[in-house]
Amino acid sequence: MKKTLTTLFSLFLFTGLCFGQFSFNRAVNAASSAANSVKTAANNSKSSGSSSSNSASKSSTKENKGTIYYVNPSTGSNRNDGKSPSTAFKEVQKLINSDFVKDGDIIRLSEGNYLGYMNQGYVEVTKYITLQGGWNSDFTAWDPVKYQTMIQPTAEQKGTNGSKALLSLKPTTANANGLMVIDGLILDMGMENDYMRADPKDERTGTCEGCETGRLMDEQSPSHCGINGGYSNFTGSLVIKNCIIMNCNNYGIQMANSGGHWEICNNVFIANRYAACEIRGASNKPDGITLNFHHNTVLFSWCRTKVMEDMGYGFRFMNGMQQEDVKYNIFGCNNYGAIDNCRYDSNKAFEAAKIQNVENNLFFMNNADMVLPAAGGGKWLMVKNDQFEDVDRIKGYEGNKDLPASSKLLKLINQPQLKGYANLKIKSNTSYDANSAQNQFRSALGMNQVGTETVRVSMYGNRYPVADAVTLFGAEPGYGAQTPVK
């Protein structure tokens, strides 16, 4: 495996990077990172720190203990009471909205595709409950990889879901002691987005060889997240675990924490635009606003547009947070940077007291492992994980390293996507004619001259297959998303 990867990524690094007039620097950085992973594989083969067992990836937050309700879209009925598998409800949104479901209750979902009320294409959780997918049809077995519980809208839902997130978390009444748990769901926007047709021979389509679609048509696709909080801020505890959040064209998770301990663990984030996870503080009293982001696999976070001038992060440190822990994750192929650390709170005392820990994470083929603002202004600092100890605001920095080249994860990632990213290229053509009729007219009126620019990329936001995403649980023992356990 090591020899194969060395040959493969060396080939990407030294050949095929010229694409018309302009060679994309991120492709060089990505391939260089991959090559470094190969060179240092022997040093990286030993795990630093503990937490190598699967149990370490489980949530440390207490669970809800209320009444258990069951939903089965195939055999259930909305006239049932939902309190047993044989009297399961049919539609989850109606159950959530019902008067008999209270804070602290648990809703179990059997395998299937859940599109919300009247198949509008989204689900809103308005109470502090546990929403748990991954059950088989008779609720005798739980395995979110095998019994896939999805929110996967199609083009048919474009006219009914608007800018709604696939899953909106917005309790109607704030409860500082409330707990919401999202567990075992697959949130996939890939069947609703607009993509160019798949044609590797036509450079306009942005199709890497073997991908099932061409590039994301960002100007055409509806703009909404995988998970967000609607227009409200969320007070209380939140756990998101054992989920896959993928192909979202406007953040995987984007939320505002108004006060509470949040835990995002054991999830797979793939092919999300802007960022995989962005949680900001939303209170003028930030004490107690914390986030533990651990044991997640974060791959292919894409920039805002195909020009790739900004965004494209795995995890973002945000303002208003008292403490953020980023530990035992895998960050790979993130288009601008694995971790964005460019925001500072204007309150200097609070900024100085903020706690940021980035420990025992694995990195590979990111444009940067962490992005920082340059002290001189203008440009960003693109930082590798072995430089984290020199980042002043990071309190804990131990154990970060490159992913071993022998990692099973590299075999399980969709190979056309991985190879396409390693050989990512961009082409830019400009056209300007000062003597054109349009520019002569504009010149006579004292207006600016105009021209045209064409940007073409070899890959951008191409749809990632669900079948390949589910194989990534447990790919690297102790790091990233582990095999889900209850």
Side-chain angles (χ1 to χ4, degrees):
M1 176 64 180
K2 187 183 300 183
K3 182 177 180 180
T4 301
L5 283 172
T6 304
T7 303
L8 174 63
F9 290 126
S10 295
L11 178 64
F12 289 156
L13 179 60
F14 295 113
T15 66
L17 291 177
C18 292
F19 191 78
Q21 300 178 21
F22 182 61
S23 178
F24 193 29
N25 289 334
R26 290 187 188 85
V28 178
N29 292 336
S32 297
S33 177
N36 288 335
S37 294
V38 173
K39 294 177 183 177
T40 60
N43 295 329
N44 291 340
S45 60
K46 295 182 179 180
S47 172
S48 65
S50 57
S51 190
S52 59
S53 67
N54 187 59
S55 61
S57 64
K58 295 177 65 177
S59 169
S60 61
T61 305
K62 293 181 179 180
E63 299 286 346
N64 283 315
K65 301 294 184 180
T67 302
I68 299 176
Y69 293 92
Y70 300 85
V71 180
N72 187 324
S74 299
T75 63
S77 169
N78 291 336
R79 299 192 178 189
N80 288 339
D81 63 11
K83 291 186 177 181
S84 70
S86 61
T87 60
F89 231 67
K90 180 179 182 179
E91 205 278 292
V92 66
Q93 191 66 66
K94 291 197 71 172
L95 180 60
I96 292 172
N97 294 346
S98 68
D99 293 335
F100 46 87
V101 171
K102 308 296 184 185
D103 287 356
D105 288 344
I106 300 163
I107 296 178
R108 293 179 174 175
L109 307 176
S110 72
E111 58 188 322
N113 190 12
Y114 291 78
L115 297 176
Y117 178 68
M118 302 297 289
N119 290 334
Q120 293 184 86
Y122 62 92
V123 174
E124 294 182 333
V125 184
T126 56
K127 300 171 183 176
Y128 293 93
I129 60 175
T130 295
L131 189 65
Q132 185 181 61
W135 289 92
N136 64 353
S137 59
D138 59 4
F139 297 94
T140 58
W142 181 82
D143 184 343
V145 173
K146 183 177 182 180
Y147 308 115
Q148 296 176 9
T149 306
M150 311 181 74
I151 302 178
Q152 188 188 55
T154 67
E156 187 175 341
Q157 276 72 47
K158 283 185 181 180
T160 57
N161 60 9
S163 60
K164 295 279 190 179
L166 299 183
L167 190 63
S168 292
L169 312 181
K170 48 180 185 179
T172 53
T173 302
N175 180 2
N177 297 316
L179 167 64
M180 184 183 293
V181 179
I182 306 301
D183 184 9
L185 301 180
I186 299 176
L187 308 179
D188 175 28
M189 205 176 294
M191 303 307 293
E192 182 181 359
N193 292 334
D194 290 304
Y195 299 93
M196 296 290 286
R197 71 186 189 282
D199 186 356
K201 296 181 180 180
D202 186 347
E203 63 182 26
R204 296 173 298 178
T205 68
T207 308
C208 43
E209 189 73 42
C211 283
E212 65 180 25
T213 73
R215 66 168 176 84
L216 176 69
M217 297 174 64
D218 57 286
E219 69 279 7
Q220 298 293 328
S221 295
S223 182
H224 47 183
C225 303
I227 298 178
N228 75 7
Y231 295 103
S232 62
N233 299 323
F234 189 114
T235 301
S237 298
L238 172 65
V239 176
I240 301 173
K241 61 180 180 178
N242 302 320
C243 294
I244 299 176
I245 304 172
M246 59 189 300
N247 297 318
C248 298
N249 58 52
N250 188 21
Y251 295 95
I253 299 176
Q254 186 186 42
M255 296 278 293
N257 184 344
S258 292
H261 173 68
W262 290 15
E263 190 170 10
I264 299 176
C265 63
N266 218 61
N267 304 290
V268 174
F269 297 83
I270 303 185
N272 299 299
R273 191 161 64 112
Y274 287 79
C277 182
E278 175 184 295
I279 308 295
R280 62 179 176 86
S283 172
N284 57 5
K285 297 179 180 180
D287 289 351
I289 300 179
T290 64
L291 172 62
N292 187 4
F293 186 86
H294 68 93
H295 291 93
N296 300 288
T297 299
V298 186
L299 306 174
F300 300 108
S301 300
W302 290 98
C303 289
R304 186 189 307 267
T305 70
K306 66 177 181 178
V307 181
M308 303 184 192
E309 70 274 50
D310 69 341
M311 297 300 290
Y313 298 111
F315 178 88
R316 302 191 78 193
F317 282 108
M318 299 297 290
N319 293 346
M321 302 294 292
Q322 181 186 28
Q323 180 168 341
E324 295 168 280
D325 296 307
V326 180
K327 300 181 178 182
Y328 294 99
N329 304 287
I330 299 176
F331 294 98
C333 304
N334 292 287
N335 197 207
Y336 207 84
I339 299 173
D340 173 25
N341 202 349
C342 295
R343 291 175 175 263
Y344 287 76
D345 280 277
S346 58
N347 185 319
K348 293 184 178 180
F350 175 62
E351 174 63 34
K354 184 184 296 183
I355 299 173
Q356 295 181 346
N357 296 311
V358 184
E359 299 176 307
N360 298 302
N361 301 284
L362 299 179
F363 299 85
F364 71 101
M365 290 179 66
N366 304 293
N367 184 43
D369 293 340
M370 185 179 293
V371 180
L372 300 171
K379 292 185 177 182
W380 304 115
L381 293 177
M382 314 305 275
V383 177
K384 282 285 294 176
N385 61 76
D386 59 4
Q387 299 173 291
F388 286 2
E389 64 178 312
D390 296 321
V391 180
D392 293 337
R393 67 196 312 212
I394 298 296
K395 302 296 191 296
Y397 56 81
E398 299 290 345
N400 298 292
K401 56 190 179 182
D402 290 339
L403 178 77
S406 58
S407 174
K408 180 182 176 182
L409 177 70
L410 293 172
K411 291 183 177 180
L412 294 175
I413 295 175
N414 178 273
Q415 293 301 294
Q417 296 257 349
L418 182 62
K419 294 175 183 178
Y421 184 84
N423 201 25
L424 181 61
K425 299 175 289 289
I426 188 170
K427 175 181 178 181
S428 178
N429 288 315
T430 59
S431 175
Y432 167 69
D433 182 1
N435 296 318
S436 69
Q438 183 183 24
N439 279 331
Q440 288 185 36
F441 176 75
R442 294 177 66 88
S443 179
L445 296 179
M447 301 172 66
N448 292 331
Q449 303 286 283
V450 296
T452 61
E453 181 181 34
T454 301
V455 176
R456 291 175 181 167
V457 292
S458 60
M459 181 184 189
Y460 170 67
N462 306 60
R463 184 170 65 212
Y464 198 96
V466 174
D468 290 332
V470 298
T471 68
L472 300 179
F473 284 104
E476 183 66 23
Y479 296 91
Q482 302 299 291
T483 301
V485 293
K486 290 180 63 177

